[in-house]
Amino acid sequence: MNFTSLGYFEVLARERNFTRAAEKLHITQQSLSSNIAKMERELGCQLIVRHVPLDLTYAGEVLLRYAATFREERDQMLQEFADISQNQRGILRIGIAYTRGRTILPDVILEFQKRFPLIQVQLVEDSNDVLHRKLIDGDVDLAIANFSDSLPGITLHEFYREEVVLLVARGLFESLYGDEADKRVRLFEEGDYSALADCPLILGGMDDLDGQIARNVLKREGIAHPHIVASSSNAETQLALAIRGVGACFCPVILARAALTEEQLSSLITLHLGETARYRIRFGYQDRSYQWSVIEAFMDVAKQIVHD
């Protein structure tokens, strides 16, 4: 039994299908089956129940746990020796929400690649909550997300503060409130959000931070039946609709500045939602006996590139 065989077993356990697992591994189904059968002979235990979809036996569950531990130890060993030899190469898996990744990572990765040309950055894009789970499970090396103050087994470092604002086309706001449009803006800035009751809104998804903040604000203001004209988990789609005057959208300021031209930004009214719409974005990585220096290097580059 070797690391390769254990890796094959992990993929098979995840896919629960020989054909799909063999395709993922770029080997033949016969070769995969032969490797699993050899492991069963070596261990003297049946590891899988061969039906569709296949199941792991109790012995298979135990082996899967050991396989994950061996893989993590092997990866840490290789990373430590890479640091010792200063031969930095490999894959750095970064977990980040799609919108945030599109906004901040292009410049960060460009600078990082200049310093570490042999490191491949693999982006794992998902919702905030899913990224937490992927980090805990070891599916990413570093997550950039909004974290609670503590996460078991995870080290957190500050990155920057993010703010969600309400963006609405000037023409739409003026058509709704006429001569009182400027007064409504002032009231909004003073904490009077009653304008939300009449304004057509574009909301993010339930799993998206901007969508959660929007719904919390509406709930707090007692707006039980908001005028929702569209919803999308793609913040850039929301912005495109807002610019066209379809409705107001809740969007991180950092994304709006990155995605829109100066002319487009000036066509929108920016309404701030207070402290409840501000939150910390932090780096998170697993607590380990040895931390790959490349993770620290990526965080340093990101901090240099991205400012509050």
Side-chain angles (χ1 to χ4, degrees):
M1 189 185 308
N2 53 39
F3 283 126
T4 299
S5 296
L6 289 171
Y8 287 175
F9 180 73
E10 281 193 285
V11 174
L12 180 62
R14 183 172 64 247
E15 295 297 328
R16 302 294 170 119
N17 181 281
F18 271 99
T19 301
R20 288 199 304 270
E23 289 175 354
K24 294 274 187 180
L25 293 165
H26 304 291
I27 62 175
T28 65
Q29 184 174 333
Q30 181 180 5
S31 178
L32 176 58
S33 181
S34 176
N35 269 273
I36 301 302
K38 182 179 178 182
M39 293 173 69
E40 290 178 322
R41 287 195 299 272
E42 289 182 20
L43 295 170
C45 296
Q46 183 179 353
L47 298 174
I48 60 175
V49 180
R50 288 168 170 77
H51 54 56
V52 180
L54 63 81
D55 286 323
L56 298 184
T57 63
Y58 174 72
E61 296 286 357
V62 171
L63 179 62
L64 183 61
R65 186 174 70 249
Y66 276 109
T69 301
F70 292 154
R71 171 172 46 79
E72 290 174 6
E73 292 292 334
R74 178 201 61 189
D75 290 346
Q76 289 182 58
M77 179 190 70
L78 293 175
Q79 290 167 0
E80 185 167 0
F81 277 102
D83 285 342
I84 292 170
S85 66
Q86 296 185 339
N87 181 25
Q88 295 292 7
R89 62 177 65 238
I91 298 174
L92 178 62
R93 301 167 301 168
I94 305 292
I96 193 166
Y98 169 80
T99 296
R100 193 168 295 116
R102 176 254 182 268
T103 304
I104 68 175
L105 285 190
D107 289 339
V108 174
I109 293 175
L110 175 63
E111 181 60 29
F112 179 78
Q113 281 291 301
K114 292 177 182 177
R115 305 184 192 185
F116 297 90
L118 299 180
I119 298 293
Q120 175 190 335
V121 177
Q122 184 180 91
L123 297 184
V124 179
E125 296 172 310
D126 220 313
S127 65
N128 202 77
D129 293 342
V130 172
L131 290 174
H132 291 183
R133 176 51 52 191
K134 287 183 180 293
L135 181 60
I136 291 171
D137 291 344
D139 294 329
V140 296
D141 302 304
L142 179 68
I144 301 173
N146 173 242
F147 291 96
S148 57
D149 288 336
S150 64
L151 205 60
I154 302 299
T155 296
L156 300 176
H157 285 288
E158 299 297 326
F159 189 7
Y160 69 94
R161 280 178 64 83
E162 204 165 77
E163 178 188 8
V164 167
V165 294
L166 185 69
L167 297 173
V168 54
R170 292 182 182 277
L172 173 61
F173 211 71
E174 290 169 358
S175 69
L176 288 170
Y177 303 111
D179 295 337
E180 290 197 350
D182 290 339
K183 177 183 176 182
R184 286 280 186 166
V185 171
R186 289 194 299 272
L187 289 173
F188 205 100
E189 297 294 352
E190 293 170 3
D192 180 354
Y193 302 146
S194 57
L196 290 174
D198 304 320
C199 185
L201 301 173
I202 304 160
L203 296 190
M206 296 289 290
D207 295 330
D208 304 317
L209 275 173
D210 57 293
Q212 293 171 7
I213 287 173
R215 289 169 175 84
N216 288 338
V217 169
L218 294 170
K219 182 179 180 180
R220 185 188 67 206
E221 295 303 311
I223 302 174
H225 304 288
H227 182 195
I228 301 171
V229 293
S231 60
S232 172
S233 290
N234 189 317
E236 291 181 83
T237 299
Q238 295 177 47
L239 284 172
L241 292 170
I243 289 171
R244 289 164 174 77
V246 174
C249 75
F250 296 80
C251 178
V253 173
I254 192 171
L255 171 65
R257 291 173 180 167
L260 302 179
T261 64
E262 288 295 329
E263 182 180 357
Q264 289 173 325
L265 276 173
S266 64
S267 72
L268 298 171
I269 297 172
T270 301
L271 301 172
H272 296 274
L273 300 162
E275 277 302 313
T276 56
R278 299 185 180 98
Y279 47 91
R280 293 181 295 175
I281 298 301
R282 292 188 277 187
F283 299 106
Y285 55 85
Q286 284 191 350
D287 297 331
R288 289 181 172 176
S289 58
Y290 183 82
Q291 291 295 345
W292 193 18
S293 63
V294 168
I295 293 175
E296 187 75 34
F298 187 91
M299 291 191 295
D300 289 342
V301 171
K303 290 175 183 178
Q304 293 169 15
I305 297 295
V306 179
H307 305 284
D308 286 357

